[in-house]
Amino acid sequence: MTTRSDIDLTDEDKTVLASWRNLIETHYFEDIQRLSHYTDDVFGLEVEHSDLAKDDELNAMFHARPFHCLMLGNMVLREQFNMAGVQMRGAIRVVRLSEEYRNSIEELRMRNRNTIVTVDVKVVSMSEPYGWLKIAKYRCRDCNDEVIINQRRARERESPRFCKSCLQKSRETDNDEEHRLFAIMHSPNFAMELEECYYEDAQNMMIRHVSHDSEGNAFSGTGLNTQMAIVSDELVGGMDSSEFYRLNGVVKVEPLRDRNFLKDTRRVLVVDVFSAEALDLKE
């Protein structure tokens, strides 16, 4: 039985993996070694953006494909945790981003989609925590091969369209090209391995722009509009309403929560948060 993933590592990925490994071993491995007695399920390792930015390949991928870059970093972090005997699952939290990413939620538009932003906000409200299927594992009923597919939050679950192993076997045994391709492509025979899928904790929060002076006095932005932000893993349940934070994340587009027909084309912007820094402000 083989396991296939919808993500194949490119040469660029392998270079970035090596860069993450060098960064973590050089700057953070001593911190990781101190975690061996911790019992939390997830630990967010804060990585300084200034450290990351010193590596050209790593910085370029983080800027262009931040969540893919963080996924590769988490693969290395899992390896480093195992080496240090840390039982927790690690999540890289890049903090203190450079000024080029500073923005205001009041100024975010569709043109900002998929870009990194740093925004200072006041949390207006928090939803109840929920989980979502982040990685689905399927097993072919015919050959037992496994297929892993990354899912997208608030989207229809994706399933394998065909089994590569069965297709290859069919090529070797079936001379009828048209019949073979039709049978394989249109008759997927997969079962989802429910207990081996990966679910992620998440929480929605409504946020409002906040500005502040050098003395830490906060005042509201020019508007009263709120925006949605989404946090995950150890950040779920770790943030409070009416508190101030600097959120670092990626602007994403999601369907309206109250849409009343399936193919509604309207979308809203959300900030998919990869790190949060508490701000010591007073109103």
Side-chain angles (χ1 to χ4, degrees), residues 59-119:
N59 190 47
M61 179 178 282
F62 178 73
H63 180 79
R65 303 168 63 197
F67 280 112
H68 184 73
C69 182
L70 291 172
M71 180 201 70
L72 296 174
N74 287 333
M75 290 170 60
V76 175
L77 189 59
R78 181 167 59 248
E79 168 194 291
Q80 299 295 316
F81 272 30
N82 290 337
M83 290 173 57
V86 177
Q87 300 300 313
M88 297 181 291
R89 180 169 60 82
I92 289 177
R93 303 296 182 191
V94 180
V95 295
R96 287 172 278 281
L97 274 66
S98 59
E99 286 296 316
E100 66 179 295
Y101 297 111
R102 293 295 295 274
N103 210 319
S104 164
I105 62 169
E106 296 177 338
E107 298 177 357
L108 297 182
R109 299 293 183 267
M110 288 293 171
R111 60 180 173 270
N112 300 117
R113 176 174 175 252
N114 293 332
T115 61
I116 297 176
V117 294
T118 293
V119 291

Side-chain angles (χ1 to χ4, degrees), residues 10-182:
T10 64
D11 290 340
E12 181 187 18
D13 291 340
K14 295 173 183 177
T15 299
V16 170
L17 281 171
S19 295
W20 272 119
R21 187 170 293 107
N22 178 66
L23 174 65
I24 293 173
E25 290 178 347
T26 301
H27 296 281
Y28 301 98
F29 191 68
E30 288 186 4
D31 296 331
I32 292 173
Q33 290 178 312
R34 300 189 188 101
L35 301 175
S36 58
H37 300 297
Y38 281 59
T39 58
D40 294 337
D41 293 325
V42 184
F43 181 83
L45 180 70
E46 292 191 351
V47 172
E48 297 285 340
H49 180 252
S50 57
D51 290 336
L52 179 152
K54 294 175 183 177
D55 187 292
D56 291 339
E57 288 80 9
L58 189 54
N59 190 47
M61 179 178 282
F62 178 73
H63 180 79
R65 303 168 63 197
F67 280 112
H68 184 73
C69 182
L70 291 172
M71 180 201 70
L72 296 174
N74 287 333
M75 290 170 60
V76 175
L77 189 59
R78 181 167 59 248
E79 168 194 291
Q80 299 295 316
F81 272 30
N82 290 337
M83 290 173 57
V86 177
Q87 300 300 313
M88 297 181 291
R89 180 169 60 82
I92 289 177
R93 303 296 182 191
V94 180
V95 295
R96 287 172 278 281
L97 274 66
S98 59
E99 286 296 316
E100 66 179 295
Y101 297 111
R102 293 295 295 274
N103 210 319
S104 164
I105 62 169
E106 296 177 338
E107 298 177 357
L108 297 182
R109 299 293 183 267
M110 288 293 171
R111 60 180 173 270
N112 300 117
R113 176 174 175 252
N114 293 332
T115 61
I116 297 176
V117 294
T118 293
V119 291
D120 292 346
V121 303
K122 179 180 181 180
V123 177
V124 177
S125 63
M126 306 285 295
S127 75
E128 291 295 322
Y130 63 91
W132 68 285
L133 176 63
K134 187 172 185 178
I135 302 176
K137 179 180 284 191
Y138 297 87
R139 179 181 55 80
C140 177
R141 292 189 177 96
D142 296 321
C143 70
N144 281 329
D145 268 14
E146 293 179 342
V147 179
I148 297 173
I149 298 182
N150 284 352
Q151 305 293 321
R152 297 180 297 165
R153 186 178 48 235
R155 297 294 194 275
E156 183 177 351
R157 176 169 54 85
E158 296 183 27
S159 304
R161 292 178 297 171
F162 62 93
C163 176
K164 293 181 180 180
S165 294
C166 290
L167 177 60
Q168 180 61 34
K169 182 178 179 180
S170 180
R171 283 175 176 164
E172 297 171 354
T173 60
D174 195 337
N175 294 321
D176 188 342
E177 180 76 14
E178 183 176 350
H179 169 74
R180 178 173 73 250
L181 291 179
F182 179 86

